[in-house]
Amino acid sequence: MSANQDVGSGSYTLVEFNAEFFDSNSKYNNGSGQFKFTPTVAGKYLCYARIFWADFEASNKIIKIGIYKNGSLAAFGQSTMDGGEQGVAVTQIIELDADDYIQAYAFNGGAGTEAIAEDITRNVFGAYKLIE
């Protein structure tokens, strides 16, 4: 992520993972507000996402990171935030068809808008095909 991303209270927000490190087959689309991975080859994929919140103001509030498959929640990780900076992650094996896609969404359980930290080394999203 090249900048902090604000997340409103009480709803899931698409995480804008706009930097790429490995994408040899151009399966990740970070343009046009998509921020999605489309495998193009069917199979079981290990999917993962992790975000760090920057200076979260609220304490004792739920934060989540979700992996959505074709627009529906497929897996999520959850933590209770105690203020300051904290991360949350999810890893899940998900069966994907060639034209399915996954995206990462963040949930802010605080009372106001909070920000995901600008940090391309700690905020990650991806998937890789498992050999069956």
Side-chain angles (χ1 to χ4, degrees), residues 49-86:
R50 181 182 68 217
I51 57 171
F52 274 79
W53 296 88
D55 298 322
F56 205 85
E57 297 295 326
S59 62
N60 200 27
K61 298 298 180 186
I62 299 296
I63 55 172
K64 300 179 187 178
I65 181 77
I67 296 176
Y68 278 59
K69 174 183 172 184
N70 300 329
S72 297
L73 184 63
F76 74 93
Q78 176 176 306
S79 185
T80 301
M81 193 70 173
D82 287 325
E85 189 175 285
Q86 184 173 331

Side-chain angles (χ1 to χ4, degrees), residues 17 48-51 119-126:
F17 288 103
Y48 57 91
R50 181 182 68 217
I51 57 171
D119 191 333
I120 61 173
T121 60
R122 294 192 296 172
N123 296 318
V124 296
F125 171 64

Side-chain angles (χ1 to χ4, degrees), residues 4 13 18 24 33 40 47 54 64 69-70 75-76 88 97 100 107 132:
N4 283 4
T13 300
N18 55 10
S24 57
T40 69
C47 306
K64 300 179 187 178
K69 174 183 172 184
N70 300 329
F76 74 93
V88 62
D97 289 333
D100 286 338
F107 178 85
E132 299 179 53

Side-chain angles (χ1 to χ4, degrees), residues 27 38-45 94-100 129-130 132:
K27 294 180 181 188
T38 306
T40 69
V41 176
K44 291 179 178 72
Y45 285 77
I94 301 174
E95 190 151 355
L96 299 173
D97 289 333
D99 59 350
D100 286 338
K129 188 174 186 306
L130 300 175
E132 299 179 53

